């Protein structure tokens, strides 16, 4: 939708084909009785990217959101609990008080995160890294002059373990690898850029929930003249030699010299394009993790919880070993609980809460039926009961689930992988698929499985990059 808005505003005639009856893919909502849930992404950073589209389109309806004062509540099995506020200074004091960590070490780590962003954002996040000419500028020179500060030889965990004394602090900052479905024990230290997006630039919640982002972009796209065709599954990208000719959707051909795909690249190459164009090495790289989500309507309020909550595994390294080496969920999973009714009271009735309960699970590489649901549910409930000193099951009044198989069916994400390829090596940033095809003229790519990566802000940046290329290489 972001790509469609930018091109429509530049004078292109744009049609969006969507296999579902609704826009937004993972960024949609679920209603169970009187409870409302955001089905997928639960955190907004870099809202200015949405506001840039508003300015471009002249859409006169404002995008309403608020910055969160509390980012996350953290809980450990031994009873330790911490609150991460939006203030980096306050969070450093909290870690110093609760975990006896050096306050200056936390402050220095967040400053390093900011440095990573300043040195690399303009080079790696905001432009194609597959065009050599994009590196012939002062930004590249500055980054190269400071390359030693990027700790490119270290993994995320290695850097965090060198920085902090308490393993709980390490665990808190290792968690950011999950923001793109990666393993902090393999992922590059450069992923420590992510905390800056929250502490330096802010964590936000749209008024009415995350699905309001989808609603807003959809309205803006229609305002800009974009045509939407729902319940139309694209079956083939049509080529004439090495040029795009259009697509086939629901058996009908549509001609176009430009096609932008936001489908997982593994699915694009295996189902929509001839086999000779398949980049086998790239497609065979390790995939990101998936998720298993329980949507629970809870007829009780928990004062110790906030919008974002993490209940940590006691053995974080073993959890990731299970996910990426044994392809199974860990028996003591880290649990993320998102409760939007803490801010949006209409999301749950009366003295109740809407719990989005998520754990990381492997992507479903075999495509087989998910068989671990009941065991996973039992382990999640047991852990919640231990840490929150409750009997949560008696408060669950409505329930639904989302598993890797459902994610794949609904969003064409291979095996339910949330972010395409994982960032589990130090060169991962260079291994993501570019925002254009090297072999097929007129074919472009956006979304979480291509450069610069997964998550709402990076997906919006992928749209900006691809649209910018099209505006330079084609005429409306």
């Amino acid at each position: 939708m972001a790509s469609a808005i930018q091109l429509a505003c530049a004078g292109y005639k744009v049609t969006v084909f969507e296999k579902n009856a609704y826009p937004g893919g993972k960024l949609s909502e679920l209603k169970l009785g009187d409870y409302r849930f955001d089905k997928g992404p639960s955190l907004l950073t870099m809202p200015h990217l949405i506001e840039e589209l508003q300015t471009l389109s002249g859409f006169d309806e404002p995008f309403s959101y608020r910055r969160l004062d509390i980012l996350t509540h953290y809980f450990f099995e031994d009873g330790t609990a911490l609150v991460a506020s939006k203030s980096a200074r306050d969070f450093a004091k909290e870690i110093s008080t609760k975990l006896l960590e050096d306050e200056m070490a936390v402050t220095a780590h967040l400053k390093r995160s900011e440095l990573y962003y300043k040195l690399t954002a303009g080079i790696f996040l905001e432009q194609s890294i597959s065009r050599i000419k994009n590196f012939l500028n002062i930004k590249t020179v500055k980054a190269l002059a400071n390359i030693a500060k990027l700790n490119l030889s270290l993994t995320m965990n290695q850097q965090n373990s060198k920085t902090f004394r308490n393993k709980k602090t390490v665990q808190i900052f290792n968690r950011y690898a999950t923001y793109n479905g990666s393993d902090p024990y393999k992922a590059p230290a450069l992923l420590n850029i992510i905390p800056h997006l929250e502490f330096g630039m802010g964590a936000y919640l749209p008024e009415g929930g995350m699905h309001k982002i989808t609603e807003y972009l959809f309205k803006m796209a229609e305002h800009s003249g974009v045509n939407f065709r729902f319940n139309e599954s694209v079956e083939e990208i049509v080529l004439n030699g090495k040029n795009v000719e259009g697509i086939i959707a629901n058996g009908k051909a549509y001609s176009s010299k430009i096609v932008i795909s936001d489908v997982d690249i593994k699915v694009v190459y295996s189902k929509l394009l001839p086999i000779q164009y398949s980049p086998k090495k790239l497609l065979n790289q390790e995939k990101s993790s998936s998720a298993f989500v329980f949507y629970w309507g809870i007829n009780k309020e928990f004062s110790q919880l906030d919008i974002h909550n993490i209940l940590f595994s006691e053995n974080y390294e073993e959890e990731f070993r299970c996910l990426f080496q044994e392809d199974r969920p860990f028996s003591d999973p880290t649990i993320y609980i998102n409760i939007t009714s803490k801010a949006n009271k209409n999301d749950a009735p009366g003295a109740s809460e809407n719990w989005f309960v998520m754990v990381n699970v492997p992507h479903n590489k075999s495509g087989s039926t998910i068989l671990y649901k009941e065991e996973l549910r039992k382990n999640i409930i047991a852990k919640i009961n231990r840490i929150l000193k409750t009997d949560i099951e008696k408060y669950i009044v409505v329930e639904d689930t989302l598993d890797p198989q459902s994610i794949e069916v609904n969003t064409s994400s291979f095996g339910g992988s949330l972010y395409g390829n994982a960032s589990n090596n130090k060169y991962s940033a260079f291994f993501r698929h570019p925002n254009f095809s090297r072999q097929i003229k007129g074919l472009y790519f956006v979304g979480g499985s291509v450069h610069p990566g997964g998550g709402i802000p990076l997906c919006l940046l992928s749209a900006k990059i691809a649209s910018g290329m099209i505006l330079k290489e084609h005429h409306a």
Side-chain angles (χ1 to χ4, degrees):
M1 288 191 289
S3 302
I5 291 165
Q6 291 168 78
L7 294 176
C9 289
Y12 289 80
K13 183 180 179 181
V14 184
T15 301
V16 174
F17 290 81
E18 169 60 60
K19 67 174 287 188
N20 294 311
Y22 54 87
K26 299 182 183 76
L27 194 57
S28 57
E29 70 172 348
L30 170 70
K31 292 183 178 179
L32 298 176
D34 295 326
Y35 295 85
R36 191 206 68 83
F37 304 85
D38 289 311
K39 286 199 72 174
S42 55
L43 178 68
L44 173 64
T45 56
M46 301 175 72
H48 69 272
L49 296 173
I50 298 172
E51 293 171 330
E52 285 179 5
L53 294 172
Q54 181 194 12
T55 300
L56 177 68
S57 67
F59 190 49
D60 59 7
E61 181 181 321
F63 178 56
S64 299
Y65 60 93
R66 67 183 181 93
R67 185 169 183 174
L68 300 179
D69 293 325
I70 301 299
L71 304 184
T72 312
H73 280 221
Y74 292 106
F75 299 87
F76 295 87
E77 287 277 2
D78 65 0
T80 303
L82 296 89
V83 176
S85 68
K86 67 180 181 181
S87 165
R89 178 182 298 178
D90 289 347
F91 187 45
K93 289 180 179 178
E94 175 83 348
I95 290 180
S96 176
T97 300
K98 299 286 182 65
L99 302 180
L100 304 181
E101 196 70 71
D102 182 354
E103 187 175 326
M104 293 302 296
V106 180
T107 301
H109 184 75
L110 294 175
K111 286 289 185 182
R112 185 188 301 119
S113 179
E114 181 181 12
L115 177 66
Y116 284 178
Y117 182 83
K118 289 180 176 178
L119 289 176
T120 64
I123 301 173
F124 294 105
L125 299 183
E126 298 171 1
Q127 65 177 13
S128 171
I129 62 172
S130 301
R131 303 285 202 202
I132 297 299
K133 63 182 179 181
N134 288 343
F135 291 91
L136 305 178
N137 53 53
I138 192 65
K139 290 184 293 186
T140 305
V141 173
K142 185 177 180 180
L144 290 174
N146 290 274
I147 196 167
K149 297 178 182 179
L150 298 178
N151 293 296
L152 297 180
S153 65
L154 298 179
T155 67
M156 194 178 198
N157 178 69
Q158 285 171 340
Q159 183 181 73
N160 293 341
S161 296
K162 287 176 64 176
T163 303
F164 304 115
R165 296 180 301 224
N166 193 316
K167 70 176 184 178
K168 289 185 174 69
T169 316
V170 175
Q171 196 167 5
I172 286 171
F173 285 103
N174 277 355
R175 181 182 76 87
Y176 286 100
T178 66
Y179 280 42
N180 71 356
S182 300
D183 178 349
Y185 302 92
K186 296 179 182 177
L190 194 54
L191 282 192
N192 281 319
I193 190 176
I194 299 174
H196 176 65
L197 302 184
E198 291 189 7
F199 289 97
M201 303 177 74
Y204 301 87
L205 180 67
E207 297 296 336
M210 292 293 289
H211 79 292
K212 290 296 183 180
I213 298 172
T214 292
E215 288 188 8
Y216 188 74
L217 292 177
F218 179 64
K219 289 179 183 178
M220 194 192 307
E222 287 197 313
H223 166 82
S224 303
V226 177
N227 179 42
F228 284 84
R229 301 184 70 97
F230 294 107
N231 298 306
E232 293 212 25
S233 181
V234 175
E235 297 154 354
E236 181 183 346
I237 298 173
V238 180
L239 306 180
N240 180 7
K242 292 188 176 182
N243 296 289
V244 162
E245 285 289 305
I247 63 167
I248 295 175
N250 284 10
K252 184 178 178 180
Y254 299 86
S255 62
S256 177
K257 298 297 183 183
I258 302 171
V259 170
I260 306 175
S261 171
D262 75 340
V263 178
D264 186 304
I265 55 167
K266 180 101 173 178
V267 176
V268 171
Y269 284 107
S270 63
K271 295 185 178 181
L272 304 183
L273 287 170
I275 189 67
Q276 65 263 31
Y277 294 108
S278 180
K280 294 181 180 178
K281 185 175 181 181
L282 189 150
L283 297 180
N284 288 333
Q285 289 175 19
E286 186 176 27
K287 298 295 176 283
S288 79
S289 59
S290 185
F292 201 110
V293 183
F294 291 89
Y295 305 97
W296 288 340
I298 303 290
N299 64 355
K300 177 181 168 64
E301 291 182 303
F302 286 76
S303 60
Q304 67 268 52
L305 301 179
D306 202 79
I307 297 172
H308 302 287
N309 310 275
I310 296 289
L311 282 58
F312 272 122
S313 167
E314 279 205 284
N315 191 336
Y316 215 36
E317 187 167 8
E318 179 65 13
E319 180 174 11
F320 284 96
R321 192 185 69 80
C322 288
L323 293 177
F324 287 99
Q325 296 182 38
E326 297 190 3
D327 294 322
R328 64 178 178 85
F330 187 37
S331 58
D332 176 33
T334 295
I335 302 170
Y336 168 65
I337 304 175
N338 175 235
I339 311 173
T340 59
S341 61
K342 294 286 187 180
N344 300 316
K345 298 302 182 183
N346 292 334
D347 287 352
S352 300
E353 296 179 343
N354 64 332
W355 282 29
F356 168 107
V357 182
M358 188 194 84
V359 297
N360 295 312
V361 298
H363 81 284
N364 187 24
K365 66 172 64 175
S366 67
S368 57
T369 302
I370 302 297
L371 300 176
Y372 53 72
K373 173 184 173 180
E374 293 307 319
E375 180 181 4
L376 188 64
R377 186 181 187 277
K378 180 183 69 175
N379 292 337
I380 288 171
I381 285 176
K383 188 174 187 71
I384 290 173
N385 288 344
R386 287 196 307 271
I387 291 180
L388 300 184
K389 304 294 189 289
T390 187
D391 181 5
I392 195 61
E393 192 154 21
K394 72 181 182 182
Y395 301 116
I396 300 172
V397 294
V398 293
E399 177 175 333
D400 203 351
T401 60
L402 181 70
D403 63 23
Q405 195 169 30
S406 303
I407 293 170
E408 180 169 27
V409 169
N410 294 338
T411 66
S412 295
S413 302
F414 178 76
S417 169
L418 296 180
Y419 309 99
N421 292 345
S423 298
N424 284 346
N425 64 71
K426 61 184 177 181
Y427 301 113
S428 56
F430 299 96
F431 288 158
R432 296 196 79 83
H433 194 289
N435 303 101
F436 64 96
S437 171
R438 299 181 189 277
Q439 299 175 285
I440 303 169
K441 185 178 180 181
L443 180 58
Y444 297 84
F445 301 91
V446 296
S449 68
V450 300
H451 177 75
I456 293 171
L458 297 191
C459 286
L460 291 172
L461 285 171
S462 76
K464 192 173 182 179
I465 293 168
S467 299
M469 287 181 175
I470 291 170
L471 294 178
K472 288 180 181 178
E473 298 167 2
H474 301 268
H475 299 286

